[in-house]
Amino acid sequence: ASMVRVFLTLLWTINLVQPNVPQAAGVQVFPPVNFTLTVSALAQVLLHWKPNPNQEHTNYTVRYDVKILSPVPEEYDTKKTHSIQTAPLHNGFSAHVRTLLLHDDLQIRSEWVKEKLPPPPGAPETSVTNLSCVTRIAVSSTVSLRCTWLPGQGAPEDTKYFLFYRYETYTEECQDYVKDKWNRNTECRFSVTRIDPEEVDNLIVIHINGSSKYAAIKPFQQLFNQNAIEKVNVPRNVTVFLEQNDLLATWEKPISPFPKECFEYEFYLANLKSGNKQILKISTNDFRLRIDVTSRYSVQIRANHHICCARGFWSDWSEIIYVGQNKLEYPVAWILAVLCVSTCCTLLLVAIICK
């Protein structure tokens, strides 16, 4: 048993030391040099470094480990000496990079090189809050953008906010604002943008800065997935009719470059006779339902992206369509008719007798 323990201890020691064999053989790993962080666009940072001039490449593949610490932690490796990151920068940005030597199954790493961007200047609680944005696709396949926000609690009453959006390499400042009672901009509208409606997962960068005579206004940035903030259009050409005891409905997908498979629907059905209401989820462009043909119904439909196509905001409900008529059941109607005729005859007979 003691010999087994000695053998296992020796094996463990060999495995522990193994990764350091190249170091012991004279291989040294030097960290990169001239590591810099540069703001290259709104919410975009260029990470750049150079190989260490003392680093030998013989028999080794050189790569680099990159670790983003803030605002969103991320780790990856690359063979390049630069990297571009898109992230909100109003709270600063920090990252590490180190050299990675690869040979067969061995990996040897250098020490980290660290760099950071400080947050932009500005007084506390002066940046906007509750930023919300919505896009819509027009018939012409252009995309509009609308954003709303609240002034920061520490923002003076004379604060002027200014909004910019960036899509890929294009940046534009808002020219159409809505103001609050203190004349501060709290809403921006772009009737036409450079946003491509056929893209699926592109990011929209929103940047809002400001100015005031009494305080430095801290800027604010937020990233939006363009499909996640799309207000889906209303389904088109909705048709509802009765076929014997069934209600049938058909419609066309909303105005969108996405195929019909990328949409799902909610079907709102209200029985105006009984007052019963229900919302049914549907994944196709037609619908059939057995109903009470003696009742009158109201129908509305709305749409959203299917979950596989990145959900957006539900569309508005379509215009109300009415179908059917409230009718009395035949036995009841017949009984009421008989009672009515009998009552009239009785009254007429009494009148004649009394006369």
Side-chain angles (χ1 to χ4, degrees), residues 95-106:
H96 296 180
V97 63
R98 65 183 176 184
T99 305
L100 173 64
L101 293 187
L102 304 175
H103 180 67
D104 295 332
D105 294 331
L106 296 177

Side-chain angles (χ1 to χ4, degrees), residues 167-168 195-202 226-227 230 257-258:
Y167 185 79
E168 296 181 336
I195 298 170
D196 185 351
E198 297 188 8
E199 291 295 331
V200 177
D201 290 319
N202 277 4
Q226 70 177 70
N227 290 320
E230 179 187 336
F258 291 163

Side-chain angles (χ1 to χ4, degrees), residues 88-113:
L89 303 178
H90 55 271
N91 288 325
F93 184 94
S94 62
H96 296 180
V97 63
R98 65 183 176 184
T99 305
L100 173 64
L101 293 187
L102 304 175
H103 180 67
D104 295 332
D105 294 331
L106 296 177
Q107 297 184 4
I108 317 172
R109 298 175 174 84
S110 72
E111 297 294 327
W112 290 106
V113 178

Side-chain angles (χ1 to χ4, degrees), residues 39-321:
V39 178
S40 52
L42 292 180
Q44 181 174 285
V45 178
L46 171 64
L47 294 77
H48 188 270
W49 59 90
K50 292 183 178 180
N52 195 301
N54 298 319
Q55 187 62 60
E56 296 182 5
H57 297 176
T58 307
N59 297 327
Y60 285 90
T61 300
V62 178
R63 296 182 68 87
Y64 300 94
D65 277 337
V66 180
K67 179 187 292 187
I68 309 300
L69 301 180
S70 65
V72 180
E74 181 181 357
E75 293 188 41
Y76 56 94
D77 66 87
T78 176
K79 64 179 180 181
K80 299 178 181 179
T81 57
H82 65 273
S83 176
I84 294 177
Q85 285 286 315
T86 300
L89 303 178
H90 55 271
N91 288 325
F93 184 94
S94 62
H96 296 180
V97 63
R98 65 183 176 184
T99 305
L100 173 64
L101 293 187
L102 304 175
H103 180 67
D104 295 332
D105 294 331
L106 296 177
Q107 297 184 4
I108 317 172
R109 298 175 174 84
S110 72
E111 297 294 327
W112 290 106
V113 178
K114 307 175 183 179
E115 191 59 62
K116 66 179 181 179
L117 291 172
E125 296 187 336
T126 56
S127 59
V128 301
T129 61
N130 291 41
L131 175 62
S132 175
C133 294
V134 177
T135 62
R136 298 198 77 155
I137 300 176
V139 177
S140 59
S141 293
T142 58
V143 178
S144 63
L145 173 66
R146 174 177 172 266
C147 294
T148 61
W149 60 89
L150 295 177
Q153 292 184 355
E157 292 183 5
D158 75 328
T159 300
K160 300 293 184 184
Y161 288 113
F162 307 100
L163 181 144
F164 302 77
Y165 88 89
R166 179 174 71 82
Y167 185 79
E168 296 181 336
T169 60
Y170 179 79
T171 301
E172 183 178 350
E173 181 180 359
C174 180
Q175 303 297 324
D176 183 11
Y177 290 103
V178 175
K179 304 177 183 295
D180 65 7
K181 63 181 180 180
W182 289 287
N183 205 36
R184 297 180 297 190
N185 297 332
T186 57
E187 181 178 333
C188 165
R189 298 170 181 171
F190 293 91
S191 57
V192 178
T193 65
R194 294 288 187 90
I195 298 170
D196 185 351
E198 297 188 8
E199 291 295 331
V200 177
D201 290 319
N202 277 4
L203 292 175
I204 300 172
V205 175
I206 301 297
H207 172 94
I208 303 179
N209 56 24
S211 64
S212 167
K213 295 179 181 179
Y214 306 104
I217 306 303
K218 188 175 180 63
F220 180 80
Q221 294 180 341
Q222 190 167 338
L223 311 181
F224 295 96
N225 180 295
Q226 70 177 70
N227 290 320
I229 63 171
E230 179 187 336
K231 174 76 170 182
V232 179
N233 286 304
V234 178
R236 298 172 293 165
N237 298 332
V238 180
T239 303
V240 182
F241 57 95
L242 296 178
E243 186 178 277
Q244 295 181 352
N245 293 330
D246 291 344
L247 180 148
L248 279 71
T250 62
W251 57 89
E252 296 180 17
K253 75 177 183 70
I255 295 173
S256 171
F258 291 163
K260 64 180 183 179
E261 293 79 15
C262 281
F263 292 92
E264 64 177 353
Y265 305 91
E266 286 189 343
F267 190 90
Y268 178 80
L269 182 68
N271 186 321
L272 302 180
K273 179 180 176 182
S274 66
N276 291 334
K277 302 174 182 179
Q278 55 183 325
I279 296 179
L280 306 170
K281 289 192 177 293
I282 304 169
S283 58
T284 61
N285 289 62
D286 52 53
F287 183 64
R288 176 187 289 265
L289 180 69
R290 180 61 56 89
I291 62 169
D292 176 9
V293 294
T294 67
S295 298
R296 182 170 172 80
Y297 291 86
S298 67
V299 172
Q300 289 178 284
I301 302 173
R302 66 177 183 174
N304 199 350
H305 298 151
H306 193 276
I307 190 170
C308 64
C309 301
R311 294 182 67 81
F313 297 115
W314 281 98
S315 74
D316 295 328
W317 288 102
S318 63
E319 292 185 2
I320 299 177
I321 297 177

Side-chain angles (χ1 to χ4, degrees), residues 7-64:
F7 176 76
L8 292 176
T9 302
L10 180 62
L11 182 62
W12 178 81
T13 304
I14 292 174
N15 289 332
L16 183 64
V17 173
Q18 184 65 30
N20 295 322
V21 169
Q23 292 280 16
V27 178
Q28 290 183 288
V29 188
F30 296 96
V33 296
N34 298 340
F35 180 35
T36 59
L37 302 176
T38 306
V39 178
S40 52
L42 292 180
Q44 181 174 285
V45 178
L46 171 64
L47 294 77
H48 188 270
W49 59 90
K50 292 183 178 180
N52 195 301
N54 298 319
Q55 187 62 60
E56 296 182 5
H57 297 176
T58 307
N59 297 327
Y60 285 90
T61 300
V62 178
R63 296 182 68 87
Y64 300 94

